[in-house]
Amino acid sequence: MDFSNMQSRAAEDSYVPPIEDRLHNIIGTINDDEEVEKALPGLAGLLESYVESKGSIDQEDFARRLLLVFKESPDQTYENTLNNYDPDERKALQNFVGGMSLKEATIELPLGPTLGARQEAQDILLGDVVDLPLATEPSLEDDDEVHIQTNGHDQALAINKKEESHFVDTKMAEPSFQSLNVSVYKNAKFQNWGLNVENVPKYTFVPRTVAGVVEIVKYAKMHNMSVRVSGYRHSWSPSFSTSGQILISTLGIDLATRLPNFTALPGFSPGDEPHDLNHIEWADETRFQVRVGCGVTNEQLRRWCNNKEGKPRATLPLNVIMVEITYGGSNAPICHGAGIKQQTLSDLVRKIEYVDANGIPRVINEQDKLFLSAASGCFGLIGVVTHLTLQLEPMSYAILRPLKVDVIRAIPPPPGMKLEDIPPMLRIKLSPKELADAQADFERRALNDYYAEWFWFPYHDKVWINTWENTDDPKGAESYPGRWGKILQFVETISMQVLQNTLIYRKLGIFAMNSLPGAKDGPMKTYLPDALHFRRCIQNVRVRDVEVEMPLEASKDPKKKIDFTNVQRAWWDAIILTYANSKKAPMRMPLEMRIMGNSHVVMAPQRGNTYGTCAIEVLTLQAHADQFGWSEFAQQIINKWMTYRNAQGQLLKTRPHWAKEWHDYKVNGKPWIQKLKNEDYKKEIEEFKVILGQIGERDHWTLKDIQQRFSNEMYDRLIYD
């Protein structure tokens, strides 16, 4: 492809970069539309300041002025959003919007649970608070349940706080779930974080000990009910419980709703004694192996890793970005991070402790490698996982050098792509050497950097490149983003909440604000866990998400190891489809791509990818997904991504991320689940069941037992039917 004859943006004095052009159009819309101008007073001036500053406007000032726009709007979205926060938080935000610096306004503000976490807790508390007899006692009929209080928020908290310690001696306890410090909610509505999965379990249990989990499973067995487990509910696939059945929540409701709180997450506070399922300890310090409860969050382990009497201890080599996710939740669907040398989180599991279909605690050790290859990523089908032992490594430090680069330079179009297919606003003049240099830089980052990730925000003319190396040298390392950076991100997510919920937002079509750091911020050295979790508070902005894992292919060129043609094609096909759908603009969050390694976990979509994996995804704001045709757009993306072939002409074995959206989509006109079951995972599913059967033979349960106890409709269709 020759870009040397393409019209150069730099050569045109009259040329306005696309993002500025778009903002000018928005400014014109505001000035020409009395309704919009009245609804958003001051927004046109704010955007003009942004354009004049060429995007370098102070982030704190921009956030304040944006919130002020919505505060002065007759729309009540600003007030309604602030009402979701506690009085101290509201006061701090009001002081900030009133002109006080962010530091002054929030100097005494503890960072409490995020809004999303509180909302999930409230959903559970809408159910009746009850107590139930243990399965060892004669069964009571529903009419004989002990109703503690209907919709009793305060009573629920009182129950959860009853015990001074969460560790309960079951020999001394009364024969009921309350005596085991297990909260029980009847008919509490369940919604996942993405709000695309909904049901009403008959009982939602919140255990805090293995003994509590044991009794829940025994109760389910006695009453012929199934059991599924949730944490922060971040999966978009219907992997949860079923209406009328049992759901276990690994997050305690008391901690989720306690305000103020000195952590960004519910479930753990540095001042509280951790309970059995929310506990971190060394399993083998000399080998850097740590034992975590299934309710331990990324934020909890991040803090544990970063500090022990002022000295960093160790780190996971990889992780997902979000801190608000439990390790039980990220392990079950085989989540991953980034970097060609990194596998999945499930590949780091060295021991699994679970409660089986008979309510008996079991262990799969590191020596049972075959068993671990299936159980370490088993979707909760083996039983209720209570603890994991993970392989960490000595603490290292990331040297962050984020860049904002022209789209064509960041990831060049693939060979053979027609110039006319590239959106005009993204075309720039590049000589053959400049194009070759851009290609070499992309491949170098993908193949050599410890962490490799690219973001493109819809209709932006830049890509945010987040690839970096790590070092063992701690000199100069600082926490990132730091207290004030974290609070700024918190304020920015409030802006996004207001922005995506206000009615006028739909008319303007404003997209996600790009507040990510760039080269002007300079290199930053930080603890590896901080770099892996570089963006905080994103729990507050609900999204929809489709992701696939595509195998990397060997290059025919002896001078190159990997042929990135299909990777580049997937990236550019998504961009081109985004512009093709610009009238509705269904994609309102970024296109994201990570390069990573393979996996040894049987059901991992990265398994068998000898040369590595391209994890690529598209996202949008949940609030507008249905209105603007997200499902139709996502299907178009899937249709493209599933057509790529290798050098031998064979279709790539591209498979979905199990936790993301895939269940309701089709491939070649047929439900995707059929292709997964009959083609892409046909051998793996049989291998998976054989290994589970062998574990069951050792632990005295059958595949039928675990299907009845721990499966649901989706897994029945995929694994068992």
Side-chain angles (χ1 to χ4, degrees):
M1 181 185 298
D2 185 4
F3 286 81
S4 59
N5 294 322
M6 186 179 290
Q7 179 63 53
S8 170
R9 296 196 320 219
E12 282 191 320
D13 293 336
S14 61
Y15 184 82
V16 180
I19 188 66
E20 295 181 16
D21 190 25
R22 187 168 184 81
L23 289 174
H24 277 304
N25 289 336
I26 294 173
I27 293 168
T29 299
I30 296 171
N31 292 332
D32 294 340
D33 192 317
E34 185 176 345
E35 178 191 358
V36 177
E37 188 173 13
K38 183 179 179 180
L40 299 171
L43 182 59
L46 173 59
L47 297 180
E48 286 173 353
S49 298
Y50 182 88
V51 173
E52 290 172 3
S53 72
K54 300 187 183 300
S56 61
I57 189 171
D58 180 74
Q59 285 180 253
E60 183 175 321
D61 184 55
F62 187 91
R64 177 187 293 107
R65 290 176 63 183
L66 181 61
L67 286 171
L68 189 61
V69 166
F70 290 103
K71 179 184 178 184
E72 296 178 353
S73 169
D75 190 325
Q76 294 298 305
T77 305
Y78 175 85
E79 288 77 10
N80 293 338
T81 301
L82 258 62
N83 285 337
N84 291 318
Y85 291 88
D86 71 62
D88 289 338
E89 292 167 331
R90 286 199 297 272
K91 181 180 178 181
L93 289 166
Q94 289 164 350
N95 288 339
F96 171 68
V97 174
M100 191 178 291
S101 73
L102 187 64
K103 187 172 184 178
E104 291 174 328
T106 61
I107 188 68
E108 297 180 355
L109 178 68
L111 294 180
T114 64
L115 182 59
R118 299 173 207 179
Q119 291 171 337
E120 302 302 342
Q122 293 302 317
D123 284 341
I124 292 180
L125 292 168
L126 292 176
D128 292 345
V129 182
V130 302
D131 194 17
L132 296 171
L134 302 184
T136 53
E137 295 297 304
S139 175
L140 292 178
E141 299 297 329
D142 286 352
D143 291 342
D144 294 324
E145 291 169 346
V146 179
H147 283 252
I148 298 173
Q149 183 173 331
T150 301
N151 295 331
H153 176 274
D154 294 335
Q155 185 67 36
L157 298 187
I159 293 168
N160 290 341
K161 296 175 181 177
K162 181 178 179 181
E163 300 291 338
E164 290 296 324
S165 169
H166 288 297
F167 295 95
V168 178
D169 184 350
T170 57
K171 294 181 181 179
M172 299 297 293
E174 296 297 325
S176 74
F177 282 102
Q178 183 181 344
S179 68
L180 289 179
N181 204 16
V182 177
S183 302
V184 188
Y185 305 90
K186 183 180 181 182
N187 296 331
K189 179 182 177 181
F190 173 89
Q191 286 184 317
N192 68 331
W193 181 67
L195 301 185
N196 68 313
V197 177
E198 182 178 305
N199 56 64
V200 183
K202 183 172 183 179
Y203 295 117
T204 298
F205 290 88
V206 185
R208 293 165 181 81
T209 63
V210 174
V213 174
V214 164
E215 293 302 331
I216 294 169
V217 175
K218 287 181 178 179
Y219 185 92
K221 181 180 180 181
M222 174 176 283
H223 293 270
N224 195 29
M225 301 176 78
S226 66
V227 179
R228 297 292 298 166
V229 183
S230 73
Y232 273 106
R233 311 176 175 198
H234 281 147
S235 294
W236 287 264
S237 60
S239 59
F240 303 100
S241 184
T242 306
S243 290
Q245 301 302 313
I246 289 174
L247 175 71
I248 291 177
S249 173
T250 61
L251 296 179
I253 306 306
D254 56 331
L255 294 175
T257 55
R258 183 185 300 163
L259 295 172
N261 194 313
F262 288 87
T263 175
L265 308 175
F268 171 75
S269 173
D272 287 348
E273 181 181 5
H275 58 71
D276 189 19
L277 304 182
N278 192 21
H279 183 62
I280 305 171
E281 63 184 355
W282 284 114
D284 186 338
E285 187 170 1
T286 62
R287 300 173 63 201
F288 291 95
Q289 291 184 353
V290 65
R291 179 178 182 261
V292 299
C294 59
V296 169
T297 66
N298 275 345
E299 175 68 4
Q300 184 180 349
L301 187 61
R302 183 190 70 82
R303 293 187 178 197
W304 187 91
C305 287
N306 281 4
N307 186 57
K308 181 182 180 183
E309 299 176 355
K311 297 179 181 179
R313 330 176 179 225
T315 179
L316 283 171
L318 64 108
N319 213 322
V320 301
I321 298 172
M322 186 175 275
V323 295
E324 287 149 325
I325 186 170
T326 62
Y327 280 91
S330 60
N331 166 258
I334 320 174
C335 293
H336 65 86
I340 193 70
K341 297 178 182 178
Q342 308 305 328
Q343 296 182 303
T344 72
L345 282 165
S346 298
D347 286 283
L348 300 177
V349 174
R350 298 295 179 265
K351 180 180 177 181
I352 291 177
E353 299 168 55
Y354 76 101
V355 176
D356 73 10
N358 298 309
I360 300 174
R362 303 289 189 182
V363 175
I364 300 176
N365 287 304
E366 186 174 7
Q367 293 73 25
D368 304 315
K369 291 185 177 180
L370 179 65
F371 289 0
L372 274 182
S373 69
S376 63
C378 67
F379 319 116
L381 296 178
I382 193 175
V384 179
V385 174
T386 61
H387 294 84
L388 299 166
T389 296
L390 301 173
Q391 183 65 59
L392 276 63
E393 58 186 34
M395 177 61 72
S396 63
Y397 307 86
I399 303 173
L400 307 180
R401 293 188 176 92
L403 295 172
K404 296 176 183 178
V405 177
D406 290 327
V407 177
I408 281 182
R409 293 180 187 271
I411 301 178
M417 179 167 282
K418 297 177 181 179
L419 297 179
E420 55 266 30
D421 290 338
I422 297 173
M425 58 287 298
L426 300 182
R427 300 175 189 172
I428 62 173
K429 183 178 180 180
L430 290 179
S431 69
K433 182 181 184 305
E434 288 175 318
L435 185 61
D437 288 345
Q439 180 71 29
D441 183 70
F442 163 64
E443 294 186 11
R444 177 191 62 78
R445 293 175 183 276
L447 291 174
N448 298 327
D449 281 1
Y450 183 93
Y451 188 94
E453 182 174 42
W454 292 259
F455 288 86
W456 176 70
F457 288 83
Y459 312 106
H460 208 293
D461 55 355
K462 302 287 186 183
V463 167
W464 190 65
I465 301 177
N466 183 35
T467 74
W468 41 265
E469 275 298 325
N470 68 328
T471 177
D472 296 331
D473 181 10
K475 185 177 180 181
E478 298 180 354
S479 294
Y480 180 83
R483 174 175 172 80
W484 306 117
K486 188 174 183 180
I487 290 178
L488 179 57
Q489 290 182 4
F490 173 71
V491 172
E492 288 169 346
T493 61
I494 296 173
S495 301
M496 180 59 72
Q497 291 167 43
V498 177
L499 201 60
Q500 69 172 313
N501 288 311
T502 185
L503 294 176
I504 209 69
Y505 172 87
R506 304 182 182 122
K507 187 168 183 176
L508 284 173
I510 301 174
F511 299 92
M513 296 293 176
N514 186 357
S515 59
L516 297 169
K520 64 182 178 63
D521 298 300
M524 298 167 278
K525 180 187 281 190
T526 188
Y527 303 103
L528 192 74
D530 286 357
L532 296 174
H533 304 301
F534 65 90
R535 193 69 183 171
R536 312 290 168 77
C537 304
I538 52 179
Q539 165 88 355
N540 283 330
V541 183
R542 298 180 193 268
V543 299
R544 298 283 292 275
D545 191 345
V546 171
E547 176 182 337
V548 300
E549 321 300 332
M550 179 172 31
L552 300 182
E553 295 292 311
S555 176
K556 291 182 178 180
D557 185 345
K559 297 180 181 179
K560 293 185 176 183
K561 181 180 180 181
I562 304 295
D563 181 356
F564 284 98
T565 298
N566 282 320
V567 172
Q568 293 165 251
R569 183 172 289 121
W571 176 264
W572 276 93
D573 278 347
I575 291 174
I576 291 168
L577 280 172
T578 301
Y579 277 96
N581 287 272
S582 59
K583 187 174 182 179
K584 281 191 173 182
M587 183 173 138
R588 302 192 170 210
M589 289 296 274
L591 165 67
E592 180 182 355
M593 186 179 79
R594 284 168 283 178
I595 299 297
M596 62 170 297
N598 64 359
S599 175
H600 298 303
V601 177
V602 174
M603 292 299 290
Q606 298 86 354
R607 193 187 192 212
N609 296 351
T610 305
Y611 297 96
T613 305
C614 168
I616 186 167
E617 61 189 310
V618 288
L619 302 93
T620 198
L621 294 169
Q622 179 277 328
H624 303 289
D626 295 334
Q627 181 180 359
F628 292 106
W630 166 251
S631 296
E632 293 83 357
F633 172 75
Q635 185 64 66
Q636 292 178 39
I637 292 285
I638 291 167
N639 292 345
K640 279 287 187 182
W641 285 349
M642 297 300 292
T643 62
Y644 307 141
R645 297 177 180 270
N646 60 22
Q648 292 73 42
Q650 301 168 323
L651 285 171
L652 296 182
K653 201 171 186 178
T654 299
R655 302 186 280 193
H657 188 315
W658 289 116
K660 305 296 176 69
E661 293 182 69
W662 61 268
H663 181 263
D664 295 328
Y665 292 103
K666 297 181 178 181
V667 175
N668 299 325
K670 297 180 180 180
W672 202 346
I673 195 169
Q674 290 184 15
K675 187 175 191 301
L676 296 173
K677 183 178 181 66
N678 300 324
E679 298 178 34
D680 295 337
Y681 278 97
K682 185 176 181 179
K683 293 181 179 179
E684 287 85 349
I685 288 173
E686 289 305 312
E687 181 182 359
F688 182 67
K689 290 196 291 186
V690 167
I691 297 174
L692 292 192
Q694 292 172 346
I695 298 172
E697 185 177 353
R698 185 198 71 173
D699 290 348
H700 307 294
W701 48 258
T702 66
L703 289 180
K704 184 178 180 180
D705 292 336
I706 60 173
Q707 180 184 3
Q708 291 177 336
R709 197 65 52 237
F710 303 117
S711 187
N712 66 11
E713 181 181 354
M714 181 183 76
Y715 291 118
D716 281 350
R717 291 179 61 197
L718 178 69
I719 304 295
Y720 296 109
D721 291 349

